[in-house]
Amino acid sequence: MNTPLRITAFTAGLAASFGLALGVGHATGNGPSPKPATAAHGGHAGHGGHAGHGEEPANGGAEHLPGGLQVSERGYTLSVENPFVTAGSPTDLRFRILGTDGKPVTAYQQQHEKDLHLIVAPRDLSTFQHLHPTLAADGTWSAQTAVPAAGEYRVFADFTPAGASEGLTLGADLHAAGDLRPAPLPETGRTVTVDGYTVTLGGDLTPGRSGTLTLGVSKDDRPVTDLQPYLGAYGHLVALRAGDLAYLHVHPDTGTPGPEIGFTTTAPSPGSYRLFLDFKHQDTVHTAAFTVTTEGAAAPAGHQH
């Protein structure tokens, strides 16, 4: 991408959704490496149901709600077949997207090499899964997964129906039975280590104002300059807002293969966010997770910069 991708709304999991997978549920393709994306989302400009990625008004009217907060939007509904699962046990997560006529949607516009992206995250934001389910002829999606611990989870479906002018992100609750051990929001610094890689976060989130976040990847004290495309981009960033899991899924400002990936973002409100960065190196997808608290107060409506 040669121009900055400006973000408006935080759309929840993974599609705030700074759109990442923490340790579980990644599928890695074995075919040729995809060509990096060169335009801002295309049809996926609707990540979270907002076209164009302009900045979101800080007063947050209903028409500007971040994605993933609603199970139904613009006539489409996310229907999870069985929202009750057992922690630690393999689960065939099945769901349908019901259209404006009440029938399952069976045709989608492919975005970032997939018809639909599924994010699963617990309310405490301790883990993250970015899944790519399969679609049956009757409109039922299914994904094999397992949630690691008991608790309340949010499932986000990020998709664009065939013929639609923009995409949207719908969210639904998932309840995992087991020995519940509530935990506070994970604390991190500006540097985290995952699978032997060191990922460093630069820049700040400012409510109501666009800014640039950078994520640098290194290994064995040397910058990684040969990141591979993953789903058409060199990095995927999802942000989830603590408290309600408002979701945003975005992609890099440029198509350079590392070691630093930049994202132009706007936080919809003051607060804490979990950032999940997916990156691919040596044919394996890794996820780095950060906790970030916004700097400053929200700008008045109409005064975003």
Side-chain angles (χ1 to χ4, degrees):
M1 299 180 192
N2 297 323
T3 58
L5 178 62
R6 307 200 70 191
I7 310 306
T8 69
F10 274 67
T11 58
L14 162 44
S17 295
F18 299 90
L20 353 173
L22 177 53
V24 252
H26 291 288
T28 303
N30 295 320
S33 296
K35 182 179 179 180
T38 57
H41 288 290
H44 235 173
H47 264 304
H50 299 280
H53 290 294
E55 294 178 9
E56 180 189 359
N59 61 357
E63 69 274 20
H64 298 294
L65 282 176
L69 297 180
Q70 302 182 97
V71 71
S72 184
E73 184 179 352
R74 301 206 307 270
Y76 293 92
T77 300
L78 170 59
S79 177
V80 178
E81 184 175 289
N82 182 10
F84 298 94
V85 299
T86 300
S89 298
T91 297
D92 183 16
L93 186 59
R94 295 165 60 86
F95 62 95
R96 298 180 300 168
I97 304 297
L98 304 181
T100 56
D101 58 359
K103 298 178 181 180
V105 177
T106 58
Y108 296 81
Q109 297 181 44
Q110 190 173 99
Q111 305 296 341
H112 308 301
E113 303 176 357
K114 299 292 180 179
D115 283 347
L116 183 146
H117 297 260
L118 186 70
I119 301 295
V120 180
R123 287 284 174 182
D124 64 10
L125 295 176
S126 58
T127 62
F128 177 92
Q129 299 186 53
H130 182 175
L131 308 174
H132 297 111
T134 57
L135 178 63
D138 67 353
T140 300
W141 290 94
S142 61
Q144 291 294 321
T145 186
V147 296
E152 297 297 312
Y153 288 74
R154 193 72 174 168
V155 175
F156 305 99
D158 187 348
F159 64 94
T160 302
S165 60
E166 58 182 4
L168 69 161
T169 302
L170 301 179
D173 289 335
L174 188 67
H175 315 280
D179 182 13
L180 178 60
R181 298 178 181 273
L185 194 68
E187 295 184 3
T188 67
R190 287 282 173 156
T191 300
V192 300
T193 300
V194 55
D195 304 330
Y197 294 85
T198 299
V199 183
T200 302
L201 174 67
D204 294 305
L205 290 178
T206 302
R209 296 181 176 86
S210 64
T212 298
L213 293 176
T214 60
L215 292 119
V217 182
S218 62
K219 187 175 185 180
D220 300 326
D221 297 323
R222 301 182 65 178
V224 175
T225 59
D226 58 344
L227 293 176
Q228 297 168 285
Y230 174 59
L231 299 174
Y234 287 113
H236 283 234
L237 187 62
V238 170
L240 298 178
R241 183 169 60 189
D244 63 2
L245 275 63
Y247 169 94
L248 178 66
H249 187 164
V250 301
H251 289 280
D253 291 343
T254 65
T256 56
E260 195 170 79
I261 313 167
F263 300 84
T264 300
T265 63
T266 301
S269 71
S272 295
Y273 295 81
R274 282 285 280 173
L275 313 185
F276 299 92
L277 173 71
D278 284 338
F279 64 94
K280 185 176 180 180
H281 188 239
Q282 296 180 347
D283 299 324
T284 301
V285 177
H286 309 273
T287 303
F290 294 85
T291 299
V292 173
T293 300
T294 57
E295 299 289 338
H303 290 276
Q304 294 83 9
H305 300 286

